[in-house]
Amino acid sequence: MKKFLALLLTLVMALSLAACGGSDEESTGSPAEDPAANEESSGSAADVKIGLICVHDINSGYDAAHIEGLTAACEELGIDANSQVIFRYNIAEDENCYDAAVDLAEEGCNIIFSDSYGHRSYMLDAAEDYPDVTFVSCTGNMAATSGLDNYKNLFPYTYESRYVSGVVAGMKLKELMDAGTVTDPKVGYVGAYPYAEVVCGYTAFLLGIQTQVPEAYMEVQYTNSWYDPVAEGEAANALMARGCVIIGQHADSTGAPSAVQAQKDAGSVVYSVGYNIDMLEVAPTAALTSSQNNWSVLYRDTLEKFIAGEEVPVDYAVGISEDAVMISKLGPECAEGTQEAVDAAWSSIKDGSLKVFDTSKFTCQPAADGSYQVDADGHVTSAFGLDSDGDFVNDTGEAIVDGAFQESVLRSAPYFSLRIDGITELNNN
């Protein structure tokens, strides 16, 4: 129905413009009145008009990173963000996304981004209805199979920064254990949903920690929301009550770091590793660092190709080698030698000598669904990376290459969903 109404509105507008053809009023020159305005690109930065659909707003660290990233990319490319970018905030992962995408297309945007995984199917619907507009989901897993030339997916190698932030946490955990302050190397993680994006992140985080404390293990508490400060704080408190001394997160507010700081101020030995933004403002002594994405790189690279009239990749994913991921500055209570350990980890990831998901570094129980195979010691020997039939079980696309799981290579959206030994999900239901 919404597609029909959108097409009907377009027809009505066309007839209205024809009826007003003899008007003496000055034309606004808006893209909506120009049949060529929605062509993919005219080769000039001045001719691009961009839409960004955000699942939340500037108060969410994740959305803030997108807003700032797109703005920075525009500045670098000579695009006037004030006149050439339209932002849509607090757009839910439902039909509201389709409506927002249609509105942006009708307002003359010739390339439209959305920043949440749950937007992807609605962006696809809009791409079908507006073939002359390019739609880019950050993130999504449908572009490669959509059959559409104007629908794209992109996402950074978030697992790389998760791993390095884990090295930071591991350095602190080792310091605490060496001093006898902590005897149980138990860490916690506040996750939004049990999606592959979250699973690959907390797995990389633990693997980074285990480079310093091999016996470290983790418990995960899901909030079932990308942004819920109260639920994130409650989850962090629940994990700390269970003995977790470092709390990581893949959720978009400051709820977890704030809760950790409150417990630390009350005398507990606890620390936080955040996501999206530097958390030192809300957790000045508890925050060790945050895993971050440099969205300006992905927006810049995509827009650069779009403006030049080049093909925008169907799936685009990059990491530290292109400066697309990073961690925030180290907190004041990080262990001595942390910066050196961080530098070494980044260097090894860049030169390829360090593979985050090296299968010799973790074990798994046999897969009941057949999505991966393990040897007698529990090391993964083969794993599928893609789901061909939509049943949420990976059944095609070999992801194990040279003894490592190749994340975000078969497509841009994360697909590492293996549950490794040493991680317990407390409420995956």
Side-chain angles (χ1 to χ4, degrees):
M1 179 60 71
K2 290 184 180 294
K3 295 181 187 178
F4 172 77
L5 292 174
L7 293 172
L8 181 61
L9 177 60
T10 301
L11 178 61
V12 171
M13 288 178 65
L15 293 173
S16 298
L17 288 172
C20 296
S23 172
D24 291 332
E25 292 181 7
E26 181 179 355
S27 170
T28 63
S30 69
E33 298 176 8
D34 182 356
N38 282 343
E39 291 181 359
E40 182 169 301
S41 174
S42 65
S44 170
D47 294 321
V48 68
K49 189 165 185 180
I50 305 162
L52 175 59
I53 297 171
C54 299
V55 69
H56 297 111
D57 55 30
I58 196 71
N59 294 306
S60 157
Y62 178 76
D63 296 273
H66 275 273
I67 295 163
E68 293 165 4
L70 176 55
T71 302
C74 287
E75 183 176 356
E76 185 173 349
L77 295 173
I79 299 169
D80 182 0
N82 291 322
S83 62
Q84 293 177 251
V85 181
I86 302 175
F87 296 94
R88 290 286 184 266
Y89 302 119
N90 298 307
I91 305 301
E93 296 167 310
D94 55 25
E95 282 288 335
N96 285 293
C97 179
Y98 173 82
D99 294 342
V102 166
D103 289 344
L104 289 168
E106 292 295 333
E107 290 185 56
C109 292
N110 43 24
I111 184 166
I112 299 169
F113 297 89
S114 67
D115 74 357
S116 190
Y117 180 80
H119 288 149
R120 69 199 189 287
S121 61
Y122 305 101
M123 289 284 281
L124 175 59
D125 288 343
E128 290 175 342
D129 294 341
Y130 290 82
D132 294 328
V133 179
T134 296
F135 294 82
V136 185
S137 290
C138 324
T139 181
N141 57 358
M142 305 173 76
T145 58
S146 71
L148 300 178
D149 293 333
N150 65 322
Y151 183 56
K152 318 290 183 178
N153 292 152
L154 64 81
F155 204 66
Y157 291 161
T158 55
Y159 64 93
E160 292 181 346
S161 55
R162 296 285 186 190
Y163 180 91
V164 176
S165 72
V167 172
V168 174
M171 291 287 289
K172 186 62 184 181
L173 184 58
K174 184 177 187 302
E175 179 187 71
L176 293 170
M177 294 189 70
D178 287 347
T181 307
V182 169
T183 57
D184 183 6
K186 185 178 183 179
V187 299
Y189 201 92
V190 177
Y193 294 98
Y195 298 165
E197 181 183 335
V198 179
V199 175
C200 90
Y202 66 59
T203 303
F205 181 62
L206 180 63
L207 292 173
I209 291 173
Q210 289 178 336
T211 63
Q212 311 301 317
V213 184
E215 66 272 30
Y217 64 107
M218 175 188 289
E219 291 185 343
V220 179
Q221 181 82 23
Y222 294 110
T223 63
N224 295 309
S225 172
W226 290 118
Y227 180 83
D228 188 333
V230 173
E232 292 164 36
E234 290 174 347
N237 282 328
L239 289 165
M240 288 185 285
R242 293 176 61 86
C244 297
V245 294
I246 293 177
I247 305 296
Q249 70 174 91
H250 187 148
D252 296 342
S253 86
T254 60
S258 296
V260 175
Q261 184 66 54
Q263 288 293 322
K264 188 172 185 297
D265 290 342
S268 297
V269 178
V270 287
Y271 290 92
S272 169
V273 174
Y275 180 43
N276 294 310
I277 59 173
D278 185 343
M279 295 293 181
L280 285 173
E281 184 174 342
V282 298
T285 62
L288 298 174
T289 190
S290 289
S291 171
Q292 294 183 291
N293 303 315
N294 185 6
W295 283 102
S296 66
V297 168
L298 291 102
Y299 282 116
R300 180 202 64 204
D301 292 354
T302 301
L303 290 169
E304 203 166 38
K305 288 181 172 62
F306 180 79
I307 292 167
E310 300 175 6
E311 179 66 24
V312 175
V314 172
D315 273 287
Y316 186 52
V318 289
I320 187 59
S321 293
E322 291 78 15
D323 295 323
V325 295
M326 55 194 175
I327 63 171
S328 64
K329 65 183 179 182
L330 301 179
E333 296 195 18
C334 281
E336 184 177 352
T338 297
Q339 186 62 60
E340 290 78 6
V342 165
D343 294 342
W346 282 133
S347 178
S348 296
I349 292 173
K350 285 182 179 180
D351 68 23
S353 61
L354 190 161
K355 304 294 185 183
V356 170
F357 295 119
D358 180 341
T359 57
S360 70
K361 303 298 184 183
F362 62 86
T363 58
C364 297
Q365 297 303 304
D369 60 13
S371 61
Y372 62 88
Q373 303 295 320
V374 299
D375 62 20
D377 296 322
H379 295 292
V380 180
T381 58
S382 177
F384 292 124
L386 302 177
D387 172 16
S388 66
D389 54 13
D391 65 353
F392 301 102
V393 177
N394 290 341
D395 54 19
T396 187
E398 179 57 59
I400 304 298
V401 178
D402 295 332
F405 189 102
Q406 307 295 302
E407 174 63 296
S408 297
V409 172
L410 299 175
R411 71 175 191 216
S412 56
Y415 44 82
F416 182 102
S417 57
L418 283 64
R419 268 57 174 188
I420 74 169
D421 295 331
I423 299 178
T424 301
E425 297 167 287
L426 299 178
N427 63 331
N428 182 0
N429 48 43

